[in-house]
Amino acid sequence: MLAAMTTEPEQQIGVGTQDAFQRLWTPHRMAYIQGENKPTGPEAGDGCPFCGIPELSDVDGLVVARGRHVYAVLNLYPYNGGHLMVVPYRHVADYTELDGPETAELADLTKRAMTALRKASGAHGFNIGMNQGAAAGAGIAAHLHQHIVPRWGGDTNFMPVVGHTKVLPQLLADTRQMLAEAWPTD
């Protein structure tokens, strides 16, 4: 049973030296920290989540839109609410490995993602990019994916800077539904 929500701070004995800070408990982040669902190697059969997601339903896989060569999916560990990735179905690691139709559709779904995010959430701007290789910061370097991170004026606050925590205002399933409904069809 869940504990009742209160507005009074709770004294937490045993969490370290007492100070004036409340603790934001985010146990779901432990999966990311511990590398859960990370591939065990560079091949598609090595547990690549981007190869497995297309086999799931859109709801279960957090897929917002599917194209012929690429798909758009919510990031399970988002930098901001609405953080999408455009991912080729084919297991390739480097942008230069994409063929012409894959490259064109990756660009098209990126544009559609921006349109949907503006419509659904009023995004003011975007960070868009790919981390190519583990040395460049790719969490899953073996399977190319382009990030589309919506931004709003003043969205940077003390939580990520001081608390190393990102607060998301909406459940991922609800964000997926909102973006799927806003996805442009033309």
Side-chain angles (χ1 to χ4, degrees):
M1 175 179 265
L2 294 175
M5 298 293 289
T6 67
T7 57
E8 295 297 316
E10 179 183 332
Q11 176 83 25
Q12 295 179 351
I13 307 298
V15 297
T17 305
Q18 288 186 0
D19 54 30
F21 294 102
Q22 294 287 324
R23 301 303 189 267
L24 180 61
W25 187 53
T26 56
H28 63 281
R29 297 283 303 158
M30 192 53 68
Y32 178 74
I33 292 166
Q34 293 177 336
E36 188 175 302
N37 296 324
K38 274 205 150 187
T40 57
E43 302 302 320
D46 292 335
C48 176
F50 295 134
C51 289
I53 288 170
E55 303 302 317
L56 302 172
S57 71
D58 288 355
V59 171
D60 291 339
L62 298 174
V63 175
V64 176
R66 294 176 189 257
R68 184 168 180 208
H69 305 286
V70 302
Y71 64 95
V73 61
L74 285 177
N75 190 322
L76 194 54
Y77 306 105
Y79 300 140
N80 257 356
H83 178 171
L84 290 167
M85 296 176 293
V86 178
V87 184
Y89 292 110
R90 193 164 59 95
H91 187 84
V92 297
D94 197 85
Y95 186 67
T96 61
E97 296 177 53
L98 293 178
D99 63 24
E102 289 168 326
T103 302
E105 194 171 61
L106 187 133
D108 181 57
L109 259 67
T110 298
K111 288 170 53 176
R112 290 174 189 262
M114 293 171 66
T115 300
L117 284 160
R118 282 189 180 116
K119 179 179 178 182
S121 66
H124 298 155
F126 299 91
N127 293 115
I128 297 174
M130 300 177 206
N131 299 326
Q132 294 284 271
I140 300 176
H143 198 132
L144 175 81
H145 53 286
Q146 176 158 271
H147 296 266
I148 299 107
V149 182
R151 300 300 304 269
W152 296 268
D155 68 2
T156 300
N157 58 39
F158 75 96
M159 290 298 287
V161 175
V162 175
H164 304 287
T165 301
K166 192 56 113 161
V167 177
L168 300 175
Q170 190 174 47
L171 295 173
L172 290 175
D174 295 338
T175 302
R176 193 216 66 81
Q177 179 67 33
M178 179 181 71
L179 291 173
E181 290 172 1
W183 197 264
T185 56
D186 294 330

